[in-house]
């Protein structure tokens, strides 16, 4: 049997996993610093969580979901994104009743979309996302954006641009919707079949069409900014005010609509401006979704969040050459010889690991020289050599692999000697 990995998925091999782990650790630390706590929801949900949550007319729901029927005849879907699932959980677990408001959550995990794979676009990808539920203070919009920008900055990325827009409240969007219908109706025959459907169902999605992107009517389309009513304008100005206050630069893009239906007011993306980054420059996307909690049967609750994929983050880090490659160093490598010494080493290895040190030894019958090479490859801090001679003297030779110096340490003192050297 010869089986290959499915298109759009990837194996993350041990050499690369250390980069992922470092990112995960840092991202969690920063999220906790901002007062966000982790939530874990299932990999699959009832299909309507996403079809209704993300929006029936979005590409995600119409073309990209991995939906299947389980043995009980239920329609389930591998999650294409995290927000709808988090909101489902928020309502189901009555988090609106928590004494601590707003409820600030973050998540990490694989998402699934049947998209055309290309650089930066996978069918399984890992998102980190945050959701702040319960506050409509524009300062929290700025907090969420600041958190995303901080993560990227701490990862070493410099060439970024925050692009922001407001989609306004329901009233603003309704008048914008009418304007879009007026604008596109005369040329709708020239647009793709999907757009023809979108005109009646959700004309905003026309602006998001990948096929008709170059049609002149797209460029001349009315801009949402001109349809914002007073309160929506005021809200947007306050968000921008807080971003100014935090010194976070942005570019307002009135054409930024985002590909999910639940957004209103603030919508934003963080793009890589690194030259030659590739066709897909959007690293992170998010926005406000007041109303989504009610759609799931909860009380009126505002919400805002963002998500980014680790795959695109790593791609940007590689492009800006800020990836720390390489695995984690090993504390101790035990260099062994045949005979009695080996029994001693097997037991010592077990004891060192139980002390909390990372330790390893040779299992391939390598000669001494090759064992030292192996210790180097594993970036061992120390090599401990125990052969016939050491067994007789009951003293181990401890070699510092960084500077090459050697010390003799009596067996009885070995564990004490090693206590300070690290561990994980
Ligand atoms: P989204 O824009 O669909 O928003 O995705 C957010 C991010 O996920 C993208 O900016 C990108 O980094 C990553 N991403 C999306 N699709 C792929 C893919 N096929 N391959 C690799 N990375 C991908 C959402 O998912 C919203 N739930 C974000 C949000 C949270 N809004 C409010 N709260």
């Amino acid at each position: 049997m010869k089986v290959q990995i499915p298109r759009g998925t990837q194996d993350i091999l041990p050499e690369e996993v250390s980069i992922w782990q470092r990112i995960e650790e840092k991202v969690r630390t920063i999220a906790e610093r901002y007062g966000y706590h982790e939530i874990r929801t299932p990999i699959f949900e009832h299909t309507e969580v996403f079809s209704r949550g993300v929006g029936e007319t979005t590409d995600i729901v119409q073309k990209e979901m991995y939906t299947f029927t389980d043995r009980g005849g239920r329609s389930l879907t591998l999650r294409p994104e995290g927000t709808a699932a988090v909101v489902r959980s928020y309502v189901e677990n009555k988090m609106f009743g928590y004494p601590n408001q707003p409820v600030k959550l973050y998540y990490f995990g694989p998402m699934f979309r049947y998209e055309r794979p290309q650089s930066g676009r996978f069918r399984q990808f890992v998102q980190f996302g945050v959701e702040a539920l319960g506050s409509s203070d524009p300062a929290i919009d700025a907090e969420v954006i600041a958190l995303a920008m901080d993560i990227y900055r701490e990862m070493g990325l410099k060439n970024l641009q925050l692009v922001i827009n407001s989609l306004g409240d329901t009233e603003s969007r309704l008048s914008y919707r009418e304007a879009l219908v007026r604008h596109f109706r005369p040329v709708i025959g020239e647009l793709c079949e999907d757009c023809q459907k979108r005109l009646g169902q959700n004309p905003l999605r026309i602006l998001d069409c990948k096929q008709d992107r170059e049609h002149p009517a797209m460029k001349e389309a009315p801009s949402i900014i001109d349809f914002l009513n007073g309160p929506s304008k005021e809200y947007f100005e306050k968000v921008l005010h807080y971003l100014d206050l935090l010194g976070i630069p942005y570019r307002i893009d009135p054409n930024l609509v985002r590909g999910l239906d639940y957004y209103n007011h603030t919508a934003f993306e963080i793009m890589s401006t690194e030259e030659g980054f590739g066709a897909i420059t959007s690293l992170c996307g998010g926005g406000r979704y007041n109303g989504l909690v009610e759609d799931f049967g909860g009380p009126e609750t505002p919400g805002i969040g963002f998500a980014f994929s680790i795959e695109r983050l790593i791609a940007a880090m590689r492009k800006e050459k800020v990836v720390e490659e390489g695995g984690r160093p090993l504390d101790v490598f035990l260099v062994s010889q045949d005979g009695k010494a080996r029994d001693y080493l097997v037991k010592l290895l077990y004891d060192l690991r139980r002390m909390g040190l990372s330790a390893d030894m040779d299992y391939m019958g390598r000669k001494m020289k090759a064992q030292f090479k192996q210790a180097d490859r594993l970036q061992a801090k120390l090599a401990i050599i125990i052969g016939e001679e050491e067994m007789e003297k009951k003293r181990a030779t401890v070699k510092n692999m960084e500077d090459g110096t050697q010390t003799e340490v009596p067996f009885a003192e070995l564990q004490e000697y090693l206590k300070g050297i690290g561990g994980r």
Side-chain angles (χ1 to χ4, degrees):
M1 184 166 63
K2 190 166 174 255
V3 183
Q4 286 179 335
I5 195 168
R7 234 163 94 71
T9 66
Q10 54 178 350
D11 294 317
I12 299 158
L13 302 176
E15 308 87 90
E16 214 175 336
V17 161
S18 61
I19 301 170
W20 283 72
Q21 288 172 336
R22 273 197 286 267
I23 290 175
E24 281 181 23
E25 262 172 41
K26 270 198 192 169
V27 167
R28 281 177 203 281
T29 309
I30 301 169
E32 298 275 345
R33 199 188 291 162
Y34 273 75
Y36 289 74
H37 300 295
E38 187 173 4
I39 181 167
R40 298 185 185 190
T41 60
I43 299 282
F44 57 84
E45 296 268 355
H46 288 293
T47 298
E48 59 263 37
V49 168
F50 303 112
S51 56
R52 301 224 318 266
V54 174
E56 298 281 1
T57 56
T58 58
D59 273 2
I60 293 183
V61 171
Q62 293 206 332
K63 302 179 185 164
E64 297 172 2
M65 294 208 302
Y66 282 92
T67 297
F68 60 97
T69 308
D70 76 0
R71 287 169 194 274
R74 301 168 198 92
S75 177
L76 298 171
T77 293
L78 297 184
R79 60 184 185 190
E81 62 105 47
T83 312
V86 167
V87 169
R88 193 268 311 135
S89 172
Y90 175 88
V91 173
E92 199 164 340
N93 293 292
K94 300 192 174 55
M95 293 186 213
F96 42 80
Y98 281 10
N100 266 344
Q101 295 292 334
V103 174
K104 304 207 288 188
L105 306 166
Y106 76 84
Y107 49 89
F108 244 117
M111 307 290 162
F112 306 85
R113 296 185 193 176
Y114 189 77
E115 290 195 88
R116 187 132 50 91
Q118 63 182 91
S119 145
R121 183 180 286 154
F122 298 90
R123 289 185 173 166
Q124 175 176 332
F125 54 96
V126 174
Q127 268 189 353
F128 166 78
V130 311
E131 313 295 348
L133 290 134
S135 168
S136 52
D137 182 341
I140 207 162
D141 299 42
E143 171 182 284
V144 159
I145 294 172
L147 169 52
M149 294 301 280
D150 257 4
I151 290 174
Y152 285 136
R153 211 201 43 216
E154 292 210 21
M155 294 302 160
L157 294 182
K158 294 205 170 66
N159 299 328
L160 298 171
Q161 184 169 51
L162 167 66
V163 181
I164 191 165
N165 190 20
S166 171
L167 304 176
D169 59 8
T170 313
E171 186 188 89
S172 311
R173 276 208 323 288
L174 278 178
S175 50
Y176 181 50
R177 186 193 157 107
E178 282 164 23
L180 284 176
V181 173
R182 277 197 304 276
H183 174 76
F184 283 113
R185 183 164 286 139
V187 293
I188 197 66
E190 298 165 26
L191 302 184
C192 72
E193 239 173 74
D194 282 344
C195 280
Q196 297 182 7
K197 276 191 227 139
R198 289 171 182 138
L199 187 73
Q201 292 173 338
N202 188 356
L204 208 84
R205 289 270 75 86
I206 298 180
L207 301 175
D208 207 28
C209 179
K210 291 174 186 124
Q211 223 172 310
D212 291 322
R213 210 180 341 212
E214 299 304 321
H215 193 283
M218 289 288 192
K219 297 196 177 81
E220 293 151 16
S223 153
I224 178 82
I225 294 264
D226 299 326
F227 293 84
L228 295 183
N229 59 13
S232 300
K233 246 188 229 159
E234 203 182 311
Y235 193 89
F236 191 37
E237 275 158 17
K238 282 191 186 149
V239 173
L240 300 181
H241 160 76
Y242 284 117
L243 289 175
D244 290 335
L245 202 68
L246 303 183
I248 299 176
Y250 52 81
R251 177 170 67 82
I252 298 173
D253 178 357
N255 296 321
L256 180 79
V257 291
R258 311 267 306 117
L260 305 92
D261 273 353
Y262 47 61
Y263 292 115
N264 41 58
H265 291 287
T266 314
F268 67 94
E269 290 190 7
I270 300 171
M271 327 289 276
S272 168
T273 54
E274 179 74 10
E275 228 174 276
F277 181 64
I280 300 176
T281 56
S282 179
L283 301 180
C284 172
R288 192 160 265 292
Y289 46 83
N290 302 349
L292 190 57
V293 172
E294 286 143 279
D295 292 347
F296 277 89
E300 196 180 323
T301 309
I304 178 158
F306 70 76
F308 63 73
S309 67
I310 312 302
E311 288 82 353
R312 284 193 200 169
L313 168 60
I314 293 178
M317 288 168 71
R318 288 237 153 87
K319 203 73 206 167
E320 291 201 29
K321 300 196 173 54
V322 291
V323 177
E324 266 178 66
E325 304 274 357
R328 291 173 198 245
L330 187 74
D331 292 326
V332 185
F333 187 85
L334 302 183
V335 177
S336 70
Q337 286 168 352
D338 284 341
K340 263 202 316 210
R342 192 164 159 93
D343 280 1
Y344 187 81
L345 279 185
V346 168
K347 175 67 169 54
L348 178 62
L349 179 62
Y350 180 65
D351 291 342
L352 295 184
R353 288 170 172 167
R354 298 208 338 168
M355 269 170 67
L357 297 179
S358 58
D360 219 334
M361 67 183 281
D362 170 57
Y363 290 109
M364 302 302 291
R366 291 186 182 89
K367 298 253 161 26
M368 283 271 273
K369 206 168 148 201
Q371 290 192 42
F372 277 110
K373 269 201 188 144
Q374 171 80 347
D376 262 338
R377 265 198 303 273
L378 296 172
Q379 300 172 44
K381 294 181 202 158
L382 298 178
I384 297 182
I385 304 126
I386 301 182
E388 295 295 311
E389 203 186 313
E390 282 85 1
M391 285 303 285
E392 253 159 50
K393 286 200 279 181
K394 296 201 168 14
R395 295 168 84 85
T397 305
V398 180
K399 180 172 176 186
N400 182 322
M401 296 295 286
E402 271 149 39
D403 59 19
T405 53
Q406 295 201 12
T407 328
E408 283 196 4
V409 182
F411 284 175
E413 292 165 26
L414 198 51
Q415 297 200 11
E416 195 54 39
Y417 178 85
L418 293 173
K419 254 185 195 156
I421 76 145
R424 316 182 179 155

